[in-house]
Amino acid sequence: MSKRQKAEFQAIKAFGLAGALAVTLSSAATSPARAFQDEGTIILCSIEPLSGIGTSFGQPNYLGKVIAVDEINAEGGIEVDGKKMKIKLISEDDQAKPDQGVPLFRKCAESDNALVITGTQYSRVTESMWGLLQKKLDDPKDGGLQVPSMSFLSMKAGVTGVSEWAFRNAGDEPAQHELAIKLMEERYGPFKNYSGAVEANEGHSVAAWKAAYTPALDRRNIKATEYVEWYETDRDFSVQIRKLKRANTDFFILSSHLQANVGAMLEAQRQGFKPKTIISHIGSDAAEMVELGKQSTEGIVFPTAIHMAFPAPKVKWLADEYKKRTKETYMPQFVGLGYEGIMIVKEAIVKAGIKNRPETLAADRRKVRDQLAAIRDYKSFAGMTLNMNANRDIVRPVYLVKITGGDFKLYWTPEKGFLF
Amino acid sequence: MLDVTNLTVSYGAISAVRNVSLTVKAGEVVTLIGANGAGKTSIVKALSGLVPKASGATKFRDTDISSLPAHEITRLGLVHVPEGRKLVPSMSVEENLICGAYCRTDKQGIADDLDAVMARFPRLRERRHQLAGTMSGGERQMLAIGRGLMAKPELLILDEPSLGLAPLLVEEVFNIIAGLKQEGKTILLIEQNALEALNSSDRAYVLRVGEVVMSGQSDKLAEDPELRRAYLGVN
Amino acid sequence: MPPDALLSPTPHMRGVDQMYFFALDLTQTTIDGLLFGSTYALVAIGFTLIWGLLRILNLAHGVTVMVGMFAGMLSASILGLPFYVGILIAMSSGAFIGFLIDRICYRPLRNAHELVPMIATLGFWILIEEVFIKIYSHFWFRDYVPFANPFDGIGIDIGEIRLRTDYLVTLAVAALLVVALYFLIYRTRLGLAMRMIAEDHDIGNLMGVPVGKVLTIAFLLSAAYGGAAGYLLGMTANLAGPYAGSQAVVKGLFSMILGGAGSIPGAIVGGLTLGVLELQSSFLFSFAYRDAIVMLALFIVLIVRPQGLAGKRMADRI
């Protein structure tokens, strides 16, 4: 081999080694795949963004699930066919990328033989993953996967419409924001200039604008005075904030996630842009909003499903567990949704009467799916009653949170109204 | 001063130069002549370290330079003025000359040599701040040789200095070489122009397809009928 | 899609006000773009150094930016060190990465085909970024971590135009680094060596330049500049995130091509222009089409002036 050929071979080796190392490292952070279902355990899969963009939503959600699984296993497991079986929770990291999430979903369904696949967060990934599922039940022409899957977070309106095997426990966004806008108007209105900022390359934020905020404005015969967009990875928001400021915005709709929100709000602070009211969605439910945003994010209001100030004692217990494991003092709703979600799945499994043997996997999956679809008057650990609607979305009451004094304070409940 | 024994240079599977041996003594002007592709440039590139040798021993002033990197060979005093000149077009005449003195540290010596080169090539002095890229072919060749001299060479290798030049300029180049010879400089001259090369040198080696086919005193070789037929176009 | 498609006027204001604000905002946006573009210029300079000397695109350059950002974050937010110390730390960390890139991606492969070291830098980039993200997620529970910005909130007001202090500092640092680079290249022996090598490696070899050593220095220099850019990018956004490297590569390459590949003035012009282009296309047209407009501008420039905005035509070899 000539010197040149040797060097080329070296390069290919080096590159291949680098690639292999990268792949190994990416999968080393997650648990290795189990080939077959253990007869002694129930296999659940959990797919979310555990690193990269989306860590702030994926990690809390995942931890909520882990806490739930640990609690169930500590009591011996789930009652199945006369005996108690422990849960094995297989965790995967999709890094908020559809091209990573889709193969992981397939792996969970086909090689891990999971009974239920839970996940994920970013709607673009959830939709792609659920695209693998059979669309309509009992359709002989559809060779899609037949595994019940439930997301405890993906907020994009109507995302469960992709398949009859797909479920969601997150909340009805259009209803949430209609309520939020209505309450703010009653309390602080009337407003003159409603403006919106949308994270243009993020599916959920765009969908929220189209399906939740715009219809709400239309119902009030209001046209947005100013409309700006940015990307979740942007670093400069000066043009957008200036436009909002020029429009004398007093009602500001922030349909965007924390990554951009922090930057945008800091810029707003710099330019002295202070609207009377700011409404955002669950993308603002992350400690970074106050840790990185500091004063600039004061006053932001967003809807929540579960808040750590709820009276139910189990909620405080969960917040303490979360704090023990992460040293975080604030527990975002995703933790509770993850915990609750596992509990909901557990109940569905118990009611389904599965056998949990390799040969009964397909039948078991179908039974669990049907139980999930039939959830009625489920009493959540957080105190409220939940029902699964015809679109396979869990219907739940809405609460509002306001960032006040550097803290996420529970602001409004259906029972008590405004708390301060 | 220079001893080359059994030099072989290969590019991949092709050997451009096979088992070539030659010597250059101090004060001599030795020339390598041969047709295009005979391997002349490959030999000097291997000597100056620009291309690797496949095999062979090279000794320069009692130092084995067979495995030395190019920049160290230059610092020993073996200065190669390359084929095509390889000047830096975006630098001025003066800057290009300073480049030649890169590995020297004697400020005064460099300044003196700069003056000497300008004196030898008055046209360069006229254009000392002009960009090298805007100069004519003949001027560039002078600049290249001047740059080589700035390195204070013990042995100066001139690779195809007359290539691409008009006949009048060719004459000028060989006048310069004659001048250098008179000053006692040791030169290894690579040339396609066999007639002028033989006239300017003491000894010559004739290369064909990578091998030395003839060697000896230049004036004797110039009278060799076979050589005259092959390289001087004489019948 | 937004309520108003391509141009976004402000119909709610009076005509005169509208014009005044428009002119004002146009000026402000241009200034912001120039100031912010200086970070792009710094990144582009890093690319240019390696491209000019080696004719390879150092795709691992973004890693130096990311490392500089995080070293700066550690220095500024966690250790609370002053700004000028932080920049030096960021540049040193960047330089260290540059050293690695030289030793791993270039040196062992320099005898191979010219594309091979470039592919190696690609592998380096992917590998280090993946490893970094994993380590980062292990330590921090966050997408971003705070980067202390001591100049935040203060600025100089000229009438209604605001010059942010942190942006001015960025421009000052970038300018200082550029001047230093010019001094190095045109007034030192090392610079002379680099200019020789940039023309042809053989010239360097024949003049007695230890080419390998000088190239290592070039990698260190390029990477140090990348590290400085990382620090400034983190500081002005108040955030450090693990994807900064990838973003930097894209912006830096665009800047270099826009301004004229292989020339330092080109990198500077390209970086500043890109900064202005990005902000102006957001301001004048639509945010959604911002990237498309920038690409279109790049495309047009390359058709009309293929050597880039500030590039020189390819000179004949002599």
Side-chain angles (χ1 to χ4, degrees):
Chain A
M1 233 192 265
S2 77
K3 206 164 183 182
R4 187 186 174 104
Q5 282 173 307
K6 238 184 234 159
E8 282 175 336
F9 186 59
Q10 260 183 317
I12 293 171
K13 255 202 316 201
F15 187 44
L17 202 66
L21 199 58
V23 168
T24 316
L25 281 168
S26 338
S27 43
T30 65
S31 22
R34 292 284 175 266
F36 276 99
Q37 189 156 335
D38 204 323
E39 280 207 23
T41 65
I42 293 176
I43 299 195
L44 300 179
C45 256
S46 167
I47 305 180
E48 36 254 324
L50 297 174
S51 64
I53 283 181
T55 311
S56 306
F57 308 114
Q59 285 278 9
N61 202 246
Y62 170 62
L63 279 167
K65 298 185 202 177
V66 167
I67 294 174
V69 168
D70 286 348
E71 192 186 0
I72 294 171
N73 285 348
E75 290 162 12
I78 305 182
E79 250 299 325
V80 165
D81 203 17
K83 48 188 183 340
K84 278 205 164 184
M85 285 196 190
K86 295 207 176 171
I87 301 174
K88 179 182 292 181
L89 186 67
I90 297 180
S91 159
E92 298 290 359
D93 180 2
D94 67 14
Q95 293 197 321
K97 295 178 190 161
D99 51 290
Q100 238 164 273
V102 169
L104 287 171
F105 192 85
R106 192 175 278 284
K107 164 192 166 294
C108 287
E110 291 176 345
S111 46
D112 296 330
N113 295 317
L115 182 60
V116 179
I117 303 178
T118 66
T120 173
Q121 265 60 297
Y122 271 66
S123 309
R124 59 173 174 260
V125 188
T126 315
E127 272 184 321
S128 309
M129 291 189 339
W130 284 349
L132 292 175
L133 294 168
Q134 187 187 49
K135 291 192 185 10
K136 289 217 158 309
L137 289 174
D138 304 318
D139 182 351
K141 287 187 292 241
D142 189 338
L145 297 174
Q146 298 178 36
V147 184
S149 180
M150 192 157 176
S151 167
F152 304 143
L153 197 42
S154 234
M155 276 310 269
K156 182 173 172 182
V159 70
T160 48
V162 175
S163 159
E164 292 188 354
W165 290 85
F167 296 85
R168 178 171 57 178
N169 175 27
D172 180 351
E173 195 152 53
Q176 286 180 340
H177 293 284
E178 168 58 43
L179 181 68
I181 295 177
K182 172 162 158 290
L183 289 170
M184 290 294 110
E185 283 177 331
E186 280 171 7
R187 192 156 212 225
Y188 297 108
F191 294 94
K192 288 197 285 271
N193 293 303
Y194 294 70
S195 299
V198 174
E199 205 172 23
N201 62 342
E202 198 279 311
H204 160 226
S205 294
V206 172
W209 179 258
K210 284 193 192 150
Y213 296 116
T214 305
L217 293 179
D218 288 344
R219 276 192 287 274
R220 292 161 172 75
N221 276 321
I222 298 173
K223 191 167 162 348
T225 315
E226 182 59 79
Y227 173 85
V228 300
E229 291 176 333
W230 52 58
Y231 288 166
E232 58 192 351
T233 48
D234 272 357
R235 296 191 142 243
D236 182 280
F237 302 90
S238 55
V239 176
Q240 291 93 332
I241 296 294
R242 199 166 295 116
K243 287 208 158 166
L244 292 166
K245 187 176 162 195
R246 290 266 179 262
N248 294 320
T249 304
D250 49 4
F251 194 104
F252 181 32
I253 298 172
L254 186 59
S255 186
S256 168
H257 289 70
L258 80 98
Q259 295 92 336
N261 291 357
V262 169
M265 294 317 293
L266 285 172
E267 180 64 30
Q269 188 177 43
R270 268 182 223 119
Q271 290 193 27
F273 170 55
K274 278 192 119 15
K276 223 178 354 169
T277 292
I278 307 177
I279 295 229
S280 186
H281 57 54
I282 60 163
S284 288
D285 193 359
E288 284 99 311
M289 292 287 285
V290 302
E291 277 172 24
L292 303 181
K294 303 201 182 53
Q295 287 281 43
S296 67
T297 50
E298 278 290 299
I300 293 183
V301 175
F302 59 87
T304 190
I306 297 175
H307 191 270
M308 50 191 285
F310 281 4
K314 208 68 206 267
V315 174
K316 180 160 192 327
W317 172 87
L318 184 63
D320 287 339
E321 271 300 311
Y322 183 66
K323 183 170 174 187
K324 247 190 266 170
R325 293 174 193 236
T326 62
K327 302 198 198 9
E328 296 282 324
T329 46
Y330 172 62
M331 180 179 80
Q333 61 189 288
F334 318 119
V335 184
L337 285 170
Y339 178 89
E340 185 189 73
I342 293 291
M343 292 306 178
I344 290 177
V345 168
K346 171 198 169 199
E347 171 132 329
I349 293 175
V350 167
K351 284 192 176 161
I354 61 170
K355 301 280 180 218
N356 201 41
R357 283 199 289 278
E359 64 269 19
T360 63
L361 181 60
D364 290 345
R365 283 171 168 173
R366 179 57 190 266
K367 287 185 193 158
V368 172
R369 186 227 89 98
D370 291 340
Q371 282 303 323
L372 286 173
I375 291 176
R376 287 286 163 275
D377 298 326
Y378 172 86
K379 194 91 175 42
S380 161
F381 80 102
M384 68 282 280
T385 307
L386 308 175
N387 286 289
M388 185 71 79
N389 72 8
N391 290 328
R392 293 176 304 287
D393 247 319
I394 291 215
V395 179
R396 58 188 313 134
V398 183
Y399 304 81
L400 291 184
V401 173
K402 186 175 190 178
I403 299 181
T404 314
D407 210 354
F408 294 84
K409 289 212 172 22
L410 188 59
Y411 190 42
W412 182 95
T413 68
E415 302 88 30
K416 295 196 180 140
F418 283 105
L419 298 180
F420 60 90
Chain B
M1 203 187 278
L2 178 68
D3 261 302
V4 180
T5 325
N6 286 335
L7 177 68
T8 303
V9 181
S10 310
Y11 298 121
I14 308 168
S15 44
V17 176
R18 263 186 307 279
N19 282 324
V20 163
S21 299
L22 58 92
T23 55
V24 180
K25 294 198 257 301
E28 272 195 309
V29 176
V30 173
T31 180
L32 293 183
I33 56 175
N36 229 354
K40 314 189 293 295
T41 295
S42 302
I43 293 178
V44 292
K45 276 188 166 172
L47 288 179
S48 64
L50 289 182
V51 305
K53 300 181 249 303
S55 65
T58 8
K59 228 162 77 156
F60 178 64
R61 300 176 73 212
D62 294 325
T63 311
D64 181 1
I65 61 168
S66 309
S67 40
L68 280 187
H71 63 270
E72 284 184 40
I73 293 178
T74 308
R75 281 154 194 262
L76 286 175
L78 181 71
V79 176
H80 176 184
V81 178
E83 185 189 22
R85 292 166 287 264
K86 288 196 194 280
L87 297 168
V88 182
S90 54
M91 287 190 196
S92 68
V93 167
E94 185 161 322
E95 278 184 307
N96 269 288
L97 290 173
I98 300 287
C99 282
Y102 179 83
C103 47
R104 291 170 63 178
T105 49
D106 51 330
K107 271 209 163 112
Q108 191 53 53
I110 296 175
D112 290 340
D113 283 348
L114 189 63
D115 284 335
V117 167
M118 301 280 198
R120 188 193 295 271
F121 303 117
R123 288 237 282 287
L124 292 183
R125 181 185 302 234
E126 279 168 33
R127 305 181 195 287
R128 73 193 290 168
H129 297 298
Q130 195 175 322
L131 292 185
T134 58
M135 308 231 295
S136 72
E139 288 161 349
R140 284 187 218 151
Q141 189 57 60
M142 279 189 253
L143 178 55
I145 296 176
R147 184 180 65 177
L149 291 172
M150 287 298 296
K152 245 190 166 32
E154 300 288 339
L155 169 62
L156 188 66
I157 302 179
L158 296 174
D159 197 344
E160 306 273 12
S162 71
L163 196 63
L165 296 181
L168 211 63
L169 293 168
V170 170
E171 202 183 309
E172 217 180 312
V173 167
F174 281 102
N175 283 341
I176 294 168
I177 296 176
L180 291 169
K181 180 180 194 321
Q182 245 178 335
E183 292 165 29
K185 300 250 188 295
T186 313
I187 298 177
L188 177 60
L189 174 67
I190 286 67
E191 257 302 334
Q192 241 186 79
N193 188 334
L195 180 63
E196 292 281 8
L198 289 173
N199 282 343
S200 316
S201 54
D202 300 314
R203 286 190 300 117
Y205 294 84
V206 181
L207 265 99
R208 189 161 65 185
V209 199
E211 290 174 337
V212 174
V213 295
M214 253 190 262
S215 65
Q217 303 286 348
S218 296
D219 42 14
K220 297 277 185 355
L221 282 176
E223 285 162 29
D224 182 294
E226 223 186 282
L227 187 138
R228 288 168 73 89
R229 205 181 22 244
Y231 297 101
L232 302 182
V234 175
N235 246 327
Chain C
M1 273 328 297
D4 24 274
L6 216 49
L7 263 96
S8 38
T10 45
H12 48 277
M13 286 196 284
R14 274 183 13 227
V16 172
D17 277 347
Q18 207 173 316
M19 274 197 339
Y20 171 70
F21 283 133
F22 181 77
L24 194 66
D25 292 345
L26 192 71
T27 314
Q28 179 77 62
T29 311
T30 307
I31 293 176
D32 283 342
L34 285 172
L35 293 175
F36 192 69
S38 54
T39 43
Y40 294 162
L42 269 182
V43 178
I45 285 178
F47 273 116
T48 300
L49 275 172
I50 302 300
W51 173 259
L53 290 171
L54 290 162
R55 291 290 180 273
I56 63 172
L57 283 180
N58 177 12
L59 294 169
H61 191 56
V63 179
T64 69
V65 176
M66 183 180 74
V67 165
M69 188 185 280
F70 273 86
M73 183 275 300
L74 287 173
S75 144
S77 293
I78 297 190
L79 295 174
L81 296 172
F83 158 76
Y84 46 89
V85 175
I87 284 254
L88 289 171
I89 292 179
M91 290 179 74
S92 317
S93 323
F96 174 66
I97 298 291
F99 179 75
L100 290 179
I101 297 173
D102 173 47
R103 288 297 142 122
I104 298 175
C105 305
Y106 176 66
R107 278 223 173 184
L109 303 171
R110 83 204 116 158
N111 290 320
H113 184 269
E114 0 181 78
L115 280 182
V116 172
M118 216 168 96
I119 296 174
T121 62
L122 180 66
F124 187 93
W125 171 25
I126 295 173
L127 177 66
I128 300 294
E129 192 163 278
E130 285 295 314
V131 169
F132 190 84
I133 288 175
K134 282 290 182 270
I135 297 177
Y136 169 86
S137 304
H138 193 256
F139 278 108
W140 285 289
F141 204 58
R142 305 260 175 271
D143 284 358
Y144 288 120
V145 282
F147 193 118
N149 182 355
F151 307 105
D152 199 12
I154 44 180
I156 302 173
D157 287 305
I158 303 179
E160 280 198 50
I161 300 284
R162 175 149 249 246
L163 300 171
R164 283 171 53 171
T165 303
D166 54 359
Y167 275 5
L168 287 171
V169 168
T170 298
L171 183 68
V173 171
L176 197 71
L177 288 174
V178 167
V179 167
L181 188 66
Y182 261 88
F183 187 82
L184 178 79
I185 292 184
Y186 288 101
R187 293 246 185 279
T188 67
R189 195 161 155 266
L190 177 64
L192 193 72
M194 285 184 174
R195 280 190 287 154
M196 280 194 260
I197 295 174
E199 183 59 38
D200 188 331
H201 284 217
D202 279 345
I203 300 180
N205 275 313
L206 292 176
M207 300 295 117
V209 176
V211 174
K213 288 209 186 86
V214 173
L215 288 175
T216 302
I217 294 177
F219 269 107
L220 291 174
L221 204 60
S222 155
Y225 275 51
Y231 188 97
L232 296 169
L233 282 167
M235 185 184 87
T236 51
N238 296 33
L239 304 168
Y243 285 109
S246 308
Q247 294 172 348
V249 170
V250 176
K251 309 277 194 208
L253 274 177
F254 268 37
S255 304
M256 187 175 86
I257 295 173
L258 187 64
S263 92
I264 307 268
I268 298 171
V269 167
L272 296 179
T273 308
L274 186 66
V276 173
L277 255 179
E278 281 188 342
L279 287 189
Q280 289 298 19
S281 44
S282 269
F283 175 66
L284 295 172
F285 303 107
S286 150
F287 307 101
Y289 291 114
R290 173 188 62 198
D291 285 349
I293 291 171
V294 171
M295 285 302 305
L296 186 67
L298 184 68
F299 189 64
I300 292 175
V301 167
L302 287 178
I303 290 182
V304 171
R305 238 186 112 83
Q307 67 270 35
L309 291 171
K312 303 189 192 70
R313 289 225 132 87
M314 290 291 282
D316 297 8
R317 299 271 140 168
I318 46 169

